[in-house]
Amino acid sequence: MGAWLERLGVGFPIVQAGMGGGLARHRLAAEVSQAGGLGTIGMLSPGALAAELTRARALTARPLAVNLIVPLARRAHWREAAAADVVFTHWGRPRRRTAGTWVHQCGSVSEARRAHAAGADAVIAQGREAGGHTRASLGAEDLLERIRAALPAGFPVLMAGGVANAGDVSRALSAGAEAAVLGTRFLLTPESRAHPGYRQRLREGQRTLLTELFGTGWPAAPHRVLPNAATDRWLGVDPRGPLAVRALNRLSAPLGRLSLPDTTAHQRPGLPLLTPSPPTDERAASLLDSGPLYAGESVARLSDVRPAAELVGALTP
Ligand SMILES: Cc1cc2nc3c(=O)[nH]c(=O)nc-3n(C[C@H](O)[C@H](O)[C@H](O)COP(=O)(O)O)c2cc1C
């Protein structure tokens, strides 16, 4: 592990990815940080984000991160996120919006160059195999190597995508990663807020799809998911989704920044208004078939649910 994370007070090279829409909240983030990794609270409304950070602070004195998706973030999000020790950002144009430690997740060398030029303290090389939204065309190890070659020696580059066990972490570190960032692995913990049915599908899942289907309010943003009734209904020839659905998604782009009531209980696999909100334990079970079951390719190698703190130790080589 590199010296940069150590300077932040993080002992193990394990970062739990911020998983938005309510999946990664205070318990998961606090457990990971308390165990010596870096826990991240995923994007929520500004008020909920602040409340989750306060609750996590009550559970651990160790560093905590929050994640913001740039095209969906409002001014109030940046204000609340500034209270975290690290702000991770994803998507959009890399731009420094916080005086504190800022890390941008990148899907290409050019995006990493832009983040570095914009003053990021570190970047994440996110590979194509990653769960959730990704714009990478390369695998994580390949992208890590290219980004490291493109940025000044010693600039911290973390790696996300396809990391499921200590062997994967070890390979990432040998390839020069500052730390490994894991999403799918940490969804399979009792502390994640995945709906129990979502956890079950992850345990059984073998195959993932990269699509743009669940793009209401966040269009043209490829995301990796498990197949379900909605993907069976809409994904035929074009894995991105039918042209008409993607056109509707484009029209809905301005909705992404608004704080709208949660309508996911009315979402149906056959209705072409498919939001990016994942099935959390608070949402209706119907979302298991009408919403996105975000998962990375590593899902095929994962079947056990393990406490987050135990995972931090088990993942560290
Ligand atoms: C369920 C889920 C939700 C995610 N949500 C976000 C998010 O809100 N913001 C973000 O920057 N990345 C998000 N990601 C991507 C992660 O940051 C990370 O790149 C990815 O999980 C790494 O790949 P892995 O899933 O194979 O570990 C999400 C990933 C998953 C699996």
Side-chain angles (χ1 to χ4, degrees):
M1 151 166 150
W4 178 78
L5 264 185
E6 244 172 60
R7 277 199 303 277
L8 282 178
V10 178
F12 294 141
I14 306 297
V15 176
Q16 167 250 316
M19 294 176 280
L23 288 169
R25 299 199 204 166
H26 66 279
R27 246 186 91 214
L28 177 57
E31 285 290 323
V32 170
S33 288
Q34 185 59 24
L38 179 59
T40 312
I41 296 168
M43 187 165 177
L44 292 158
S45 69
L49 199 61
E52 291 294 326
L53 191 55
T54 303
R55 287 192 194 115
R57 293 276 191 222
L59 297 175
T60 183
R62 300 266 174 90
L64 286 161
V66 302
N67 178 273
L68 293 180
I69 296 157
V70 177
L72 309 184
R74 306 191 296 275
R75 195 178 301 239
H77 281 105
W78 299 106
R79 194 176 56 236
E80 303 302 347
D85 300 285
V86 179
V87 178
F88 285 107
T89 55
H90 196 196
W91 231 260
R93 185 167 64 86
R95 188 177 138 206
R96 178 170 274 287
R97 302 284 299 260
T98 173
T101 303
W102 167 47
V103 182
H104 189 70
Q105 176 156 257
C106 305
S108 65
V109 172
S110 59
E111 190 178 6
R113 278 209 181 98
R114 284 198 300 275
H116 175 259
D121 295 293
V123 293
I124 302 173
Q126 187 203 36
R128 187 180 165 77
E129 57 282 76
H133 289 75
T134 175
R135 38 187 174 191
S137 55
L138 297 173
E141 282 187 37
D142 203 355
L143 185 60
L144 170 72
E145 190 185 324
R146 292 182 197 214
I147 289 180
R148 287 188 72 240
L151 297 184
F155 186 77
V157 185
L158 293 74
M159 191 192 97
V163 180
N165 56 39
D168 299 333
V169 176
S170 186
R171 256 203 324 283
L173 298 181
S174 307
E178 176 80 20
V181 182
L182 302 89
T184 307
R185 176 61 276 192
F186 280 109
L187 263 189
L188 279 167
T189 58
E191 293 90 354
S192 92
R193 298 293 301 270
H195 189 285
Y198 183 9
R199 232 182 248 122
Q200 190 53 32
R201 301 228 189 157
L202 288 162
R203 295 181 71 176
E204 293 163 0
Q206 291 296 319
R207 190 171 65 90
T208 59
L209 305 163
L210 194 58
T211 183
E212 295 175 18
L213 188 63
F214 301 97
T216 303
W218 189 7
H223 38 276
R224 188 171 293 286
V225 295
L226 291 172
N228 64 1
T231 63
D232 289 351
R233 162 67 182 83
W234 295 104
L235 304 185
V237 194
D238 193 335
R240 292 175 299 173
L243 203 61
V245 175
R246 283 185 285 130
L248 262 179
N249 287 344
R250 267 200 305 281
L251 289 174
S252 71
L255 301 179
R257 271 214 168 92
L258 305 179
S259 70
L260 297 170
D262 189 330
T263 56
T264 51
H266 307 291
Q267 205 159 303
R268 293 287 172 265
L271 275 178
L273 273 176
L274 299 160
T275 72
S277 300
T280 58
D281 55 8
E282 290 176 329
R283 295 198 172 110
S286 56
L287 202 55
L288 295 169
D289 272 308
S290 59
L293 301 176
Y294 299 120
E297 286 180 357
S298 68
V299 77
R301 297 187 284 135
L302 294 169
S303 56
D304 56 339
V305 175
R306 291 178 74 176
E310 185 185 306
L311 270 182
V312 174
L315 287 165
T316 302

